[in-house]
mmCIF file of all heavy atoms in Angstrom:
data_model
loop_
_atom_site.group_PDB
_atom_site.id
_atom_site.type_symbol
_atom_site.label_atom_id
_atom_site.label_comp_id
_atom_site.label_asym_id
_atom_site.label_seq_id
_atom_site.Cartn_x
_atom_site.Cartn_y
_atom_site.Cartn_z
ATOM 1 N N SER A 252 12.879 -9.847 0.262
ATOM 2 C CA SER A 252 11.453 -9.697 -0.238
ATOM 3 C C SER A 252 11.372 -8.220 -0.550
ATOM 4 O O SER A 252 12.068 -7.380 -0.142
ATOM 5 C CB SER A 252 10.461 -10.230 0.818
ATOM 6 O OG SER A 252 10.305 -9.304 1.816
ATOM 7 N N GLY A 253 10.180 -7.907 -1.203
ATOM 8 C CA GLY A 253 9.787 -6.545 -1.399
ATOM 9 C C GLY A 253 9.028 -5.922 -0.169
ATOM 10 O O GLY A 253 9.633 -5.648 0.798
ATOM 11 N N ASN A 254 7.709 -5.838 -0.377
ATOM 12 C CA ASN A 254 6.804 -5.421 0.746
ATOM 13 C C ASN A 254 6.976 -6.538 1.781
ATOM 14 O O ASN A 254 7.409 -7.573 1.600
ATOM 15 C CB ASN A 254 5.399 -5.277 0.268
ATOM 16 C CG ASN A 254 5.221 -4.168 -0.756
ATOM 17 O OD1 ASN A 254 5.100 -4.550 -2.014
ATOM 18 N ND2 ASN A 254 5.231 -3.036 -0.469
ATOM 19 N N ILE A 255 6.389 -6.201 2.985
ATOM 20 C CA ILE A 255 6.224 -7.319 3.922
ATOM 21 C C ILE A 255 5.297 -8.235 3.477
ATOM 22 O O ILE A 255 4.430 -7.911 2.688
ATOM 23 C CB ILE A 255 5.905 -6.693 5.388
ATOM 24 C CG1 ILE A 255 4.579 -5.755 5.341
ATOM 25 C CG2 ILE A 255 6.980 -5.792 6.026
ATOM 26 C CD1 ILE A 255 4.152 -5.389 6.725
ATOM 27 N N VAL A 256 5.529 -9.444 3.971
ATOM 28 C CA VAL A 256 4.751 -10.564 3.431
ATOM 29 C C VAL A 256 3.356 -10.630 4.003
ATOM 30 O O VAL A 256 3.208 -10.670 5.231
ATOM 31 C CB VAL A 256 5.353 -11.915 3.668
ATOM 32 C CG1 VAL A 256 4.676 -13.094 3.194
ATOM 33 C CG2 VAL A 256 6.793 -11.916 2.954
ATOM 34 N N THR A 257 2.228 -10.581 3.232
ATOM 35 C CA THR A 257 0.826 -10.475 3.766
ATOM 36 C C THR A 257 0.648 -11.570 4.738
ATOM 37 O O THR A 257 0.057 -11.485 5.785
ATOM 38 C CB THR A 257 -0.185 -10.418 2.673
ATOM 39 O OG1 THR A 257 0.162 -9.484 1.650
ATOM 40 C CG2 THR A 257 -1.579 -10.112 3.154
ATOM 41 N N GLU A 258 1.040 -12.914 4.237
ATOM 42 C CA GLU A 258 0.627 -14.173 4.919
ATOM 43 C C GLU A 258 1.337 -13.944 6.452
ATOM 44 O O GLU A 258 0.671 -14.371 7.461
ATOM 45 C CB GLU A 258 1.202 -15.420 4.318
ATOM 46 C CG GLU A 258 0.766 -15.510 2.867
ATOM 47 C CD GLU A 258 1.606 -14.839 1.839
ATOM 48 O OE1 GLU A 258 1.736 -13.651 1.961
ATOM 49 O OE2 GLU A 258 2.048 -15.495 0.934
ATOM 50 N N ASP A 259 2.589 -13.647 6.500
ATOM 51 C CA ASP A 259 3.235 -13.594 7.878
ATOM 52 C C ASP A 259 2.641 -12.457 8.693
ATOM 53 O O ASP A 259 2.522 -12.624 9.919
ATOM 54 C CB ASP A 259 4.782 -13.353 7.598
ATOM 55 C CG ASP A 259 5.439 -14.502 7.008
ATOM 56 O OD1 ASP A 259 4.913 -15.576 6.907
ATOM 57 O OD2 ASP A 259 6.679 -14.340 6.605
ATOM 58 N N LEU A 260 2.343 -11.295 7.980
ATOM 59 C CA LEU A 260 1.671 -10.174 8.800
ATOM 60 C C LEU A 260 0.375 -10.573 9.417
ATOM 61 O O LEU A 260 0.119 -10.331 10.613
ATOM 62 C CB LEU A 260 1.537 -9.007 7.819
ATOM 63 C CG LEU A 260 0.652 -7.813 8.431
ATOM 64 C CD1 LEU A 260 1.396 -7.209 9.533
ATOM 65 C CD2 LEU A 260 0.332 -6.769 7.248
ATOM 66 N N VAL A 261 -0.381 -11.187 8.588
ATOM 67 C CA VAL A 261 -1.749 -11.640 9.192
ATOM 68 C C VAL A 261 -1.679 -12.580 10.248
ATOM 69 O O VAL A 261 -2.350 -12.505 11.299
ATOM 70 C CB VAL A 261 -2.621 -12.281 7.863
ATOM 71 C CG1 VAL A 261 -3.871 -12.894 8.581
ATOM 72 C CG2 VAL A 261 -3.112 -11.121 6.935
ATOM 73 N N PHE A 262 -0.643 -13.573 10.133
ATOM 74 C CA PHE A 262 -0.478 -14.565 11.160
ATOM 75 C C PHE A 262 -0.015 -13.862 12.415
ATOM 76 O O PHE A 262 -0.487 -14.106 13.504
ATOM 77 C CB PHE A 262 0.625 -15.548 10.743
ATOM 78 C CG PHE A 262 1.108 -16.327 11.910
ATOM 79 C CD1 PHE A 262 0.257 -17.280 12.559
ATOM 80 C CD2 PHE A 262 2.385 -16.255 12.433
ATOM 81 C CE1 PHE A 262 0.718 -18.027 13.670
ATOM 82 C CE2 PHE A 262 2.799 -16.960 13.495
ATOM 83 C CZ PHE A 262 1.999 -17.852 14.199
ATOM 84 N N MET A 263 0.944 -12.991 12.334
ATOM 85 C CA MET A 263 1.510 -12.198 13.460
ATOM 86 C C MET A 263 0.171 -11.422 14.139
ATOM 87 O O MET A 263 0.152 -11.512 15.411
ATOM 88 C CB MET A 263 2.633 -11.212 13.150
ATOM 89 C CG MET A 263 3.190 -10.565 14.410
ATOM 90 S SD MET A 263 4.401 -9.294 14.065
ATOM 91 C CE MET A 263 3.376 -7.944 13.580
ATOM 92 N N LEU A 264 -0.399 -10.634 13.442
ATOM 93 C CA LEU A 264 -1.537 -9.928 14.088
ATOM 94 C C LEU A 264 -2.549 -10.792 14.779
ATOM 95 O O LEU A 264 -3.001 -10.538 15.926
ATOM 96 C CB LEU A 264 -2.247 -9.062 12.893
ATOM 97 C CG LEU A 264 -1.339 -7.946 12.414
ATOM 98 C CD1 LEU A 264 -2.088 -7.311 11.119
ATOM 99 C CD2 LEU A 264 -0.983 -6.890 13.493
ATOM 100 N N GLU A 265 -2.899 -11.928 14.080
ATOM 101 C CA GLU A 265 -3.949 -12.842 14.526
ATOM 102 C C GLU A 265 -3.484 -13.415 15.790
ATOM 103 O O GLU A 265 -4.192 -13.628 16.796
ATOM 104 C CB GLU A 265 -4.425 -13.743 13.555
ATOM 105 C CG GLU A 265 -5.226 -13.253 12.393
ATOM 106 C CD GLU A 265 -6.640 -13.019 12.817
ATOM 107 O OE1 GLU A 265 -7.325 -13.747 13.604
ATOM 108 O OE2 GLU A 265 -7.178 -11.921 12.266
ATOM 109 N N ALA A 266 -2.194 -13.826 15.748
ATOM 110 C CA ALA A 266 -1.611 -14.517 16.939
ATOM 111 C C ALA A 266 -1.480 -13.484 18.189
ATOM 112 O O ALA A 266 -1.560 -13.914 19.342
ATOM 113 C CB ALA A 266 -0.048 -14.881 16.612
ATOM 114 N N MET A 267 -1.461 -12.188 17.810
ATOM 115 C CA MET A 267 -1.278 -11.133 18.919
ATOM 116 C C MET A 267 -2.782 -10.708 19.380
ATOM 117 O O MET A 267 -2.951 -9.901 20.175
ATOM 118 C CB MET A 267 -0.683 -9.816 18.369
ATOM 119 C CG MET A 267 0.951 -10.103 18.145
ATOM 120 S SD MET A 267 1.532 -8.697 17.337
ATOM 121 C CE MET A 267 1.585 -7.358 18.704
ATOM 122 N N GLY A 268 -3.799 -11.490 18.952
ATOM 123 C CA GLY A 268 -5.064 -11.264 19.319
ATOM 124 C C GLY A 268 -5.932 -10.085 18.581
ATOM 125 O O GLY A 268 -6.811 -9.570 19.028
ATOM 126 N N LEU A 269 -5.237 -9.797 17.494
ATOM 127 C CA LEU A 269 -5.830 -8.587 16.726
ATOM 128 C C LEU A 269 -6.591 -9.139 15.441
ATOM 129 O O LEU A 269 -6.066 -9.921 14.790
ATOM 130 C CB LEU A 269 -4.679 -7.611 16.291
ATOM 131 C CG LEU A 269 -3.984 -6.847 17.302
ATOM 132 C CD1 LEU A 269 -2.684 -6.372 16.851
ATOM 133 C CD2 LEU A 269 -4.840 -5.841 17.944
ATOM 134 N N LYS A 270 -7.897 -8.689 15.443
ATOM 135 C CA LYS A 270 -8.718 -9.176 14.327
ATOM 136 C C LYS A 270 -8.369 -8.577 13.078
ATOM 137 O O LYS A 270 -8.512 -7.374 12.957
ATOM 138 C CB LYS A 270 -10.234 -9.096 14.607
ATOM 139 C CG LYS A 270 -10.724 -9.774 15.914
ATOM 140 C CD LYS A 270 -12.187 -9.382 16.087
ATOM 141 C CE LYS A 270 -12.496 -9.815 17.613
ATOM 142 N NZ LYS A 270 -13.743 -9.159 17.818
ATOM 143 N N THR A 271 -8.159 -9.383 11.989
ATOM 144 C CA THR A 271 -8.004 -8.906 10.594
ATOM 145 C C THR A 271 -9.035 -9.315 9.632
ATOM 146 O O THR A 271 -9.205 -8.693 8.630
ATOM 147 C CB THR A 271 -6.650 -9.348 10.077
ATOM 148 O OG1 THR A 271 -6.769 -10.840 9.866
ATOM 149 C CG2 THR A 271 -5.342 -9.156 10.887
ATOM 150 N N GLY A 272 -9.846 -10.202 10.114
ATOM 151 C CA GLY A 272 -10.909 -10.807 9.309
ATOM 152 C C GLY A 272 -10.469 -11.741 8.288
ATOM 153 O O GLY A 272 -11.127 -12.275 7.420
ATOM 154 N N ILE A 273 -9.131 -12.095 8.270
ATOM 155 C CA ILE A 273 -8.446 -12.789 7.200
ATOM 156 C C ILE A 273 -8.159 -14.198 7.658
ATOM 157 O O ILE A 273 -7.661 -14.301 8.707
ATOM 158 C CB ILE A 273 -7.232 -12.078 6.653
ATOM 159 C CG1 ILE A 273 -7.668 -10.653 6.130
ATOM 160 C CG2 ILE A 273 -6.490 -12.949 5.538
ATOM 161 C CD1 ILE A 273 -6.349 -9.787 5.809
ATOM 162 N N ASP A 274 -8.597 -15.190 6.847
ATOM 163 C CA ASP A 274 -8.201 -16.608 7.163
ATOM 164 C C ASP A 274 -6.810 -16.912 6.590
ATOM 165 O O ASP A 274 -6.615 -17.008 5.379
ATOM 166 C CB ASP A 274 -9.240 -17.388 6.443
ATOM 167 C CG ASP A 274 -9.037 -18.994 6.732
ATOM 168 O OD1 ASP A 274 -7.942 -19.327 6.688
ATOM 169 O OD2 ASP A 274 -10.093 -19.628 6.865
ATOM 170 N N VAL A 275 -5.798 -17.119 7.527
ATOM 171 C CA VAL A 275 -4.523 -17.349 7.106
ATOM 172 C C VAL A 275 -4.344 -18.495 6.143
ATOM 173 O O VAL A 275 -3.527 -18.385 5.137
ATOM 174 C CB VAL A 275 -3.423 -17.587 8.341
ATOM 175 C CG1 VAL A 275 -2.047 -17.673 7.846
ATOM 176 C CG2 VAL A 275 -3.723 -16.427 9.333
ATOM 177 N N ASP A 276 -4.966 -19.627 6.424
ATOM 178 C CA ASP A 276 -4.733 -20.725 5.561
ATOM 179 C C ASP A 276 -5.311 -20.532 4.163
ATOM 180 O O ASP A 276 -4.700 -20.793 3.096
ATOM 181 C CB ASP A 276 -5.505 -21.980 6.139
ATOM 182 C CG ASP A 276 -4.915 -22.601 7.443
ATOM 183 O OD1 ASP A 276 -3.584 -22.501 7.391
ATOM 184 O OD2 ASP A 276 -5.474 -22.896 8.385
ATOM 185 N N LYS A 277 -6.413 -19.910 4.061
ATOM 186 C CA LYS A 277 -7.019 -19.598 2.723
ATOM 187 C C LYS A 277 -6.098 -18.635 2.005
ATOM 188 O O LYS A 277 -5.852 -18.762 0.757
ATOM 189 C CB LYS A 277 -8.288 -18.847 2.872
ATOM 190 C CG LYS A 277 -9.616 -19.810 2.923
ATOM 191 C CD LYS A 277 -10.881 -18.956 2.749
ATOM 192 C CE LYS A 277 -11.990 -19.875 2.825
ATOM 193 N NZ LYS A 277 -13.256 -18.969 2.698
ATOM 194 N N LEU A 278 -5.571 -17.668 2.758
ATOM 195 C CA LEU A 278 -4.599 -16.635 2.198
ATOM 196 C C LEU A 278 -3.362 -17.357 1.668
ATOM 197 O O LEU A 278 -3.006 -17.034 0.466
ATOM 198 C CB LEU A 278 -4.185 -15.724 3.227
ATOM 199 C CG LEU A 278 -3.327 -14.448 2.840
ATOM 200 C CD1 LEU A 278 -4.279 -13.488 1.913
ATOM 201 C CD2 LEU A 278 -2.815 -13.728 4.081
ATOM 202 N N CYS A 279 -2.792 -18.319 2.329
ATOM 203 C CA CYS A 279 -1.629 -19.075 1.777
ATOM 204 C C CYS A 279 -1.895 -19.836 0.515
ATOM 205 O O CYS A 279 -1.040 -19.991 -0.396
ATOM 206 C CB CYS A 279 -1.123 -20.014 2.879
ATOM 207 S SG CYS A 279 -0.295 -19.079 4.259
ATOM 208 N N GLN A 280 -3.282 -20.207 0.420
ATOM 209 C CA GLN A 280 -3.597 -20.950 -0.809
ATOM 210 C C GLN A 280 -3.579 -20.198 -2.033
ATOM 211 O O GLN A 280 -3.252 -20.539 -3.222
ATOM 212 C CB GLN A 280 -5.045 -21.603 -0.760
ATOM 213 C CG GLN A 280 -5.251 -22.605 0.358
ATOM 214 C CD GLN A 280 -4.321 -23.764 0.048
ATOM 215 O OE1 GLN A 280 -4.257 -24.350 -0.982
ATOM 216 N NE2 GLN A 280 -3.614 -24.137 1.280
ATOM 217 N N VAL A 281 -3.828 -18.708 -1.824
ATOM 218 C CA VAL A 281 -3.763 -17.857 -2.964
ATOM 219 C C VAL A 281 -2.415 -17.814 -3.702
ATOM 220 O O VAL A 281 -2.307 -17.391 -4.944
ATOM 221 C CB VAL A 281 -4.188 -16.435 -2.472
ATOM 222 C CG1 VAL A 281 -4.359 -15.477 -3.781
ATOM 223 C CG2 VAL A 281 -5.541 -16.476 -1.803
ATOM 224 N N ARG A 282 -1.530 -18.149 -2.964
ATOM 225 C CA ARG A 282 -0.037 -18.099 -3.554
ATOM 226 C C ARG A 282 -0.054 -19.009 -4.923
ATOM 227 O O ARG A 282 0.835 -18.851 -5.690
ATOM 228 C CB ARG A 282 0.980 -18.709 -2.577
ATOM 229 C CG ARG A 282 1.296 -17.783 -1.441
ATOM 230 C CD ARG A 282 1.981 -18.453 -0.350
ATOM 231 N NE ARG A 282 3.300 -18.778 -0.477
ATOM 232 C CZ ARG A 282 4.422 -18.050 -0.031
ATOM 233 N NH1 ARG A 282 4.358 -16.956 0.515
ATOM 234 N NH2 ARG A 282 5.663 -18.464 -0.458
ATOM 235 N N ASN A 283 -0.827 -20.015 -4.923
ATOM 236 C CA ASN A 283 -0.768 -20.952 -6.006
ATOM 237 C C ASN A 283 -1.183 -20.213 -7.352
ATOM 238 O O ASN A 283 -0.619 -20.678 -8.337
ATOM 239 C CB ASN A 283 -1.803 -22.050 -5.805
ATOM 240 C CG ASN A 283 -1.397 -22.970 -4.714
ATOM 241 O OD1 ASN A 283 -0.139 -23.149 -4.319
ATOM 242 N ND2 ASN A 283 -2.336 -23.568 -4.004
ATOM 243 N N ILE A 284 -1.927 -19.279 -7.207
ATOM 244 C CA ILE A 284 -2.104 -18.420 -8.480
ATOM 245 C C ILE A 284 -0.924 -17.748 -8.989
ATOM 246 O O ILE A 284 -0.633 -17.714 -10.195
ATOM 247 C CB ILE A 284 -3.242 -17.403 -8.130
ATOM 248 C CG1 ILE A 284 -4.655 -18.123 -7.754
ATOM 249 C CG2 ILE A 284 -3.523 -16.448 -9.370
ATOM 250 C CD1 ILE A 284 -5.646 -17.163 -7.353
ATOM 251 N N LEU A 285 -0.100 -17.187 -7.978
ATOM 252 C CA LEU A 285 1.072 -16.436 -8.439
ATOM 253 C C LEU A 285 2.265 -17.583 -8.861
ATOM 254 O O LEU A 285 2.822 -17.395 -9.877
ATOM 255 C CB LEU A 285 1.701 -15.686 -7.258
ATOM 256 C CG LEU A 285 0.775 -14.480 -6.744
ATOM 257 C CD1 LEU A 285 1.591 -13.659 -5.727
ATOM 258 C CD2 LEU A 285 0.351 -13.542 -7.890
ATOM 259 N N LYS A 286 2.199 -18.664 -8.173
ATOM 260 C CA LYS A 286 3.221 -19.854 -8.621
ATOM 261 C C LYS A 286 2.909 -20.218 -9.986
ATOM 262 O O LYS A 286 3.779 -20.409 -10.757
ATOM 263 C CB LYS A 286 3.039 -21.003 -7.723
ATOM 264 C CG LYS A 286 3.833 -20.729 -6.329
ATOM 265 C CD LYS A 286 3.623 -22.010 -5.466
ATOM 266 C CE LYS A 286 4.260 -21.737 -4.069
ATOM 267 N NZ LYS A 286 3.590 -22.569 -3.062
ATOM 268 N N SER A 287 1.688 -20.499 -10.401
ATOM 269 C CA SER A 287 1.370 -20.972 -11.797
ATOM 270 C C SER A 287 1.568 -19.950 -12.804
ATOM 271 O O SER A 287 2.007 -20.359 -13.915
ATOM 272 C CB SER A 287 -0.044 -21.666 -11.772
ATOM 273 O OG SER A 287 -0.991 -20.659 -11.672
ATOM 274 N N HIS A 288 1.323 -18.671 -12.561
ATOM 275 C CA HIS A 288 1.480 -17.692 -13.560
ATOM 276 C C HIS A 288 2.722 -17.043 -13.513
ATOM 277 O O HIS A 288 3.208 -16.413 -14.647
ATOM 278 C CB HIS A 288 0.343 -16.530 -13.362
ATOM 279 C CG HIS A 288 -1.092 -17.278 -13.805
ATOM 280 N ND1 HIS A 288 -1.461 -17.123 -15.239
ATOM 281 C CD2 HIS A 288 -1.967 -17.713 -13.015
ATOM 282 C CE1 HIS A 288 -2.647 -17.603 -15.185
ATOM 283 N NE2 HIS A 288 -2.977 -17.936 -13.889
ATOM 284 N N LEU A 289 3.550 -16.982 -12.512
ATOM 285 C CA LEU A 289 4.862 -16.285 -12.411
ATOM 286 C C LEU A 289 5.767 -17.365 -11.860
ATOM 287 O O LEU A 289 6.414 -17.116 -10.820
ATOM 288 C CB LEU A 289 4.738 -15.070 -11.462
ATOM 289 C CG LEU A 289 3.866 -14.031 -11.895
ATOM 290 C CD1 LEU A 289 3.568 -13.038 -10.786
ATOM 291 C CD2 LEU A 289 4.121 -13.212 -13.142
#
Side-chain angles (χ1 to χ4, degrees):
S252 79
N254 298 103
I255 53 173
V256 175
T257 313
E258 302 88 308
D259 291 352
L260 172 66
V261 170
F262 167 68
M263 183 184 80
L264 294 170
E265 292 282 326
M267 292 171 76
L269 295 164
K270 296 177 195 167
T271 63
I273 301 168
D274 181 321
V275 183
D276 290 321
K277 271 193 181 176
L278 186 66
C279 290
Q280 295 303 313
V281 183
R282 290 163 73 95
N283 293 331
I284 295 170
L285 296 186
K286 278 184 195 156
S287 67
H288 289 275
L289 301 168

